[in-house]
Amino acid sequence: MTQAIDDNKFLAAQAKIEELKGHQVIIVTTNVKHLSLFVDAREWQSFD
């Protein structure tokens, strides 16, 4: 579980850096609950 949490922190940080550069970032995931606290994260099923 710890590895997954660390991976999520890294992913959110990278996405935030890109947002600060002016890019639109959406993380498509099954873990919206935690990632959406930091960046725009959406369920992967919502993308067809």
Side-chain angles (χ1 to χ4, degrees), residues 14-34:
Q14 290 296 111
K16 186 53 74 174
I17 288 168
E18 291 303 312
E19 284 181 346
L20 292 172
K21 291 179 182 178
H23 300 281
Q24 180 183 13
V25 178
I26 302 170
I27 296 177
V28 180
T29 182
T30 58
N31 190 13
V32 172
K33 181 179 175 182
H34 294 110

Side-chain angles (χ1 to χ4, degrees), residues 8 11-12 27 29 31-41:
N8 286 340
L11 181 60
I27 296 177
T29 182
N31 190 13
V32 172
K33 181 179 175 182
H34 294 110
L35 289 170
S36 65
L37 296 171
F38 308 104
V39 294
D40 186 1

